[in-house]
Amino acid sequence: MFTPLLVVAGHELRSRLRDGTALLVALVSPVLLATLFGLALGGDDDPPLTATIGIVDLDGGEFPASVQREALAVDELKGVLTFTQLPDEAAGQAAVDSGDAGAAIVFPAGFSESVRAGEGGSVSVLESPEAPLAGVVARSMVDRISSLVEARTLAVKASLAAGVPVEDVQLFVEENGADGPTLSLSSDPVAGGAVDLAVYYGAGMAVLFAFFVVGTSARSLLTERQNGTLARTRAAPIPLWTALAGKGIVGFLLALVSMCAVWLSSVLFFGASWGTPAGVLLLLLAHTFAATMIVLLVAAGARTDAQADGFILGVSFVFAFLGGSLVPLYNLPDWLQKVALVTPNGWISTGLSDLAAGASTAAAAVPALVVTGIGLLAGGVAFFRYRKGLFA
């Protein structure tokens, strides 16, 4: 059963190496572009990232002051983050609009007292698209604040439900671990701009070119259908899926080599770190599999190799844009950031950013599983489409 598969795969690999497409598309182009991005954006000579966040403290309580102290104590934000005090929300919006602050956090009146009483509370963030780092840090702080508010509210409600007298609830909650605000941003993947843009765009080029590399093998299926090779293959005593699987395997291996080459060149040439090798490899394997299945599915709807090229090119760049391979996700509108999660690129960009910022290998598990699921879905549909029309 596997001998015909190996024969088809071996023939496909020899063809790709002989015509030079494997060398150009899989190695030269992605590594060259990643290197250019590294020279333009990477290195230790880049100006340091900074973020100025305005604080509109209409509350005057301990909570806003404590949050600022905790944020300034985070190692990743030292020398990066600056707070500026603003009198009201209008001043905060003016500071953001003028560029004096990249973002502003507004604490409403009575916020600290409301949180202490277990009644909840909310803060708002004013952002500027011109200062994405400040916006990301501000949103991260607000996310932490929201978590603390929810925990405090839940603790108060649980205490009341357990029969603690109303006058004793606040003291009881504080004595049992919810005694005030604390904040830690050290695990945040964008704290202090920890992800080098050279790594970000290098990974983006690797993810993008994986589609192109697999496309060369998918296109050869259509070429062989036109010249009659597939019809002769069908007459042989081998399974129908052999030609599709053989070419898919070669596309998968060449795309994986391409992505690993970009990864290795980034490490060797610029000393960049993409994170834990096991986590990075897991994400690269998942994306290569998904890209292979998606390209085969797209090519299944083409009637000629030229048409397949157009389909693959369109899908590759749409996924690259929506998924953060060409434009960082935090620069996209919120609704597009949600759309990114329907593409493998979006999950891989998120996973690689987390790893590059110091997350453990476990951070790659969910993105890898989701992307693999996308690949399985696309691969199943592609197989049935090819089975129906590949030899027509």
Side-chain angles (χ1 to χ4, degrees), residues 22 93 130 151 225 233 264 273 286 325 327 341 345-346:
Q93 186 64 62
E130 304 300 325
R225 180 177 64 182
T233 301
L264 183 62
S273 173
S325 300
V327 179
L341 297 182
N345 304 54

Side-chain angles (χ1 to χ4, degrees), residues 208 312-324 326 343 345:
L208 172 62
I312 294 169
L313 188 67
V315 169
S316 301
F317 275 103
V318 168
F319 278 12
F321 175 78
L322 293 179
L326 298 177
T343 71
N345 304 54

Side-chain angles (χ1 to χ4, degrees), residues 1 28 62 88 176 179 259 310 327 330 333 335 337 383:
M1 176 185 297
V28 176
E62 173 60 18
D88 52 39
N176 286 274
D179 56 351
M259 297 187 76
V327 179
Y330 57 73
W335 68 273
Q337 293 183 34
F383 174 78

Side-chain angles (χ1 to χ4, degrees), residues 200 318-325 327-330 332-350 370-371 374:
Y200 193 99
V318 168
F319 278 12
F321 175 78
L322 293 179
S325 300
V327 179
L329 289 177
Y330 57 73
L332 298 177
D334 289 342
W335 68 273
L336 275 181
Q337 293 183 34
K338 294 181 174 64
V339 172
L341 297 182
V342 304
T343 71
N345 304 54
W347 286 97
I348 296 300
S349 295
T350 300
V370 173
V371 172
I374 293 174

Side-chain angles (χ1 to χ4, degrees), residues 261-318:
V262 175
W263 176 23
L264 183 62
S265 67
S266 178
V267 173
L268 293 180
F269 296 160
F270 301 103
S273 173
W274 288 28
T276 61
V280 173
L281 184 59
L282 180 63
L283 291 176
L284 297 190
L285 284 168
H287 178 72
T288 305
F289 172 72
T292 301
M293 297 299 104
I294 291 171
V295 167
L296 290 177
L297 173 59
V298 171
R303 305 302 300 175
T304 66
D305 53 355
Q307 194 176 46
D309 282 341
F311 288 170
I312 294 169
L313 188 67
V315 169
S316 301
F317 275 103
V318 168

Side-chain angles (χ1 to χ4, degrees), residues 29 60 117 131 143 159 177 186 268 386:
S29 297
D143 287 344
S159 300
S186 60
L268 293 180
Y386 274 114

